[in-house]
Amino acid sequence: MSLFNTTYDVIVVGGGHAGSEAAAASANMGAHTLLITMNLQNIAQMSCNPAMGGIAKGQIVREIDALGGYSGIVTDKTAIQFKMLNKSKGPAMWSPRAQSDRMQFAECWRTMLEQTENLDFYQDSVNGLLFDGDTIAGVKTALGLEIKAKTVIVTAGTFLNGLIHIGEKTFGGGRAGEGASTGITEDLVARGFEAGRMKTGTPPRVDGRSLDYSKMTEQPGDDAPEKFSYLPITKPLAKQRSCYLTYTNPEVHDLLREGFDRSPMFNGRIKSTGPRYCPSVEDKINRFAEKERHQVFVEPEGWNTVEIYVNGFSTSLPEDIQDKAIRSIPGFENVKFFRYGYAIEYDYFPPTQLKHNLETKLINNLFFAGQINGTTGYEEAAAQGLMAGVNAALKVQEKEPFILKRSEAYIGVLIDDLITKGTEEPYRMFTSRAEYRTLLRQDNADLRLTEKSYKLGLASQERMDRVEEKKNKTQNLIDFISNLSITKEEVNPILESKNLATINQSMKLYKIAARPQLTFSDFRSIENLENYIQENSIDDEIIEQVEIHLKYSGYIEKEKSNADKLNRLENVPIPSTFDYSKVKSLSFEAREKLSKIQPTSISQASRISGVSPSDISVLLVYMGR
């Protein structure tokens, strides 16, 4: 079968985190898929830090896993350390994070993709798109091939007209040592798309043998590490590698300032916006001049390499300044560089030009995913890739699009934020962006999403069976605790040991278990409860679900009720042909924003900045409410 006479169902342009998840999803749904990337050796490369997850990002990786994506499995198989962040806060804030072995991560991804049916690979640079009227028809490559496709997903990362900056030096590239991609932006702009520029940066990589760890604070992984994937094919880590923490100081800051006149960030050469929540070190000392020190995390790049990622020291300052300043950080006095930090500028397309299924509004069957949509981070990219892959396959199969609501997943929040509000700076997910974060916890992503994925044909029967078992065992244990009476003789010793008020008559266990100072493990000494747990093979995952239910059921029910109210507005559709210019009682700003974004429902319209509650009332009247 030749590339010259094949029409693919889906072509995925780019083999980063978004492209890899997109290719896996569409192929697993039965679509004949081609993944085109500039270098097959660099599939799913961790271009920046060697880690997956973190605040809100860990929830996204769990959601990708529940939906049948590969990111969670690959992370588990290649992790060198695991941590559950925010454990001191409520469960809505708990966020898993893993350090990965960078080389193993990319290798594992490639192996999993090669074992995926319906997926072909081709190494070449895509430098143009083929159109049939206002519908995508395929891609053009640097070698001059024209490859036909029913749908195309562009996941170009930082490669579209990528420009690398180190001090006063500038050269084209999409990543250190790799060329930029040209042609796609120009084709799309000619078709009426609006494009912009964004910036991101990366820190130096150094030789771990040249560091003095005795001057740093060790940061080990969790004593009882968990994992990302809900499948039993991955196991928690038995051994882990530590990271280390050190700090900058006023001397480091003064040395860095010496290079500000040669910094592309301050001398006007970089005009685009960088990520607010992951600023360069020069940006930090400029914006937070009153702070005397900033954290620097020393992260190993893998099990068997001496290469170290200097997290917190992202910079595009000249090499001599990087070299001089970093030596004043405790532990870095004799540092040897593997490579210097740099900034990269690249093209993106404001995501208000997309529909909820990540298809472009201007060109049918053309999808965007990842940094091309203005996001930052592997996890955000992978989530979009998965959703674009699913929706491209559904488009080919002439089925309804798959869209997640804000109350169903962080992925739903991410995509809705992008297409409804747009973004002027690299978008990063936080728990605070999700109004229903008590519902969208990392522990229940499988309960929320597996059934949806199973219906799509992505989640396996094994996944579905495990979710059903988890659901049933959780409910049965809740029922058991709700009906189990315990005597004061059984429970008072537990309460006394915690200096809590005792009881003077028998009581249902769930009433006492709901007290915030107590954990489930405190009650394991109660014989009836322990017997039930043993006889029914109740594992820690079930116990965690039950404990969260006992402590937070009031909050969870309130959020569900709020979500249901909003979902009723979600069901009030706005016709795509609706002419806002005729509705004179709308504010001028609302008319302008609504006409541009073309929301599909009253609920989406209500989230557009500049559209007021009174504008929504007007729309409800027009929609026949």
Side-chain angles (χ1 to χ4, degrees), residues 44-61:
Q45 185 74 263
M46 293 181 129
S47 312
C48 205
N49 62 325
M52 287 291 279
I55 309 297
K57 292 166 174 278
Q59 283 86 326
I60 289 176
V61 178

Side-chain angles (χ1 to χ4, degrees), residues 438 548-560:
T438 313
I548 289 168
H549 174 84
L550 291 170
K551 296 268 196 297
Y552 297 94
S553 56
Y555 298 103
I556 291 168
E557 287 311 314
K558 190 171 181 191
E559 257 187 30
K560 272 187 185 156

Side-chain angles (χ1 to χ4, degrees), residues 76 128 136 159 170 194 216 238 244 282 308 347 397 486 537 567 584 587 592 612:
D76 288 347
I136 197 77
F159 281 75
T170 301
E194 180 194 342
M216 307 177 193
Y244 290 83
E282 55 265 39
I308 294 292
D347 293 340
Q397 294 158 6
I486 45 171
S537 307
N567 286 339
K584 299 303 177 206
S587 69
E592 192 178 43
S612 69

Side-chain angles (χ1 to χ4, degrees), residues 522-552:
D522 294 325
F523 301 103
R524 296 291 289 262
S525 58
I526 295 169
E527 196 174 337
N528 286 344
L529 177 62
E530 188 58 27
N531 288 344
Y532 180 90
I533 287 170
Q534 298 302 331
E535 286 163 15
N536 292 278
S537 307
I538 304 291
D539 60 22
D540 291 344
E541 202 178 348
I542 309 291
I543 287 170
E544 182 180 65
Q545 288 299 302
V546 172
E547 184 154 28
I548 289 168
H549 174 84
L550 291 170
K551 296 268 196 297
Y552 297 94

Side-chain angles (χ1 to χ4, degrees), residues 209-224:
R209 296 168 299 185
S210 65
L211 302 182
D212 183 353
Y213 293 102
S214 68
K215 294 181 177 175
M216 307 177 193
T217 309
E218 188 174 4
Q219 304 270 300
D222 287 348
D223 292 338

Side-chain angles (χ1 to χ4, degrees), residues 29-42:
M29 285 177 65
H32 188 197
T33 303
L34 175 67
L35 175 60
I36 305 183
T37 183
M38 292 164 84
N39 188 344
L40 286 170
Q41 307 308 317
N42 292 342

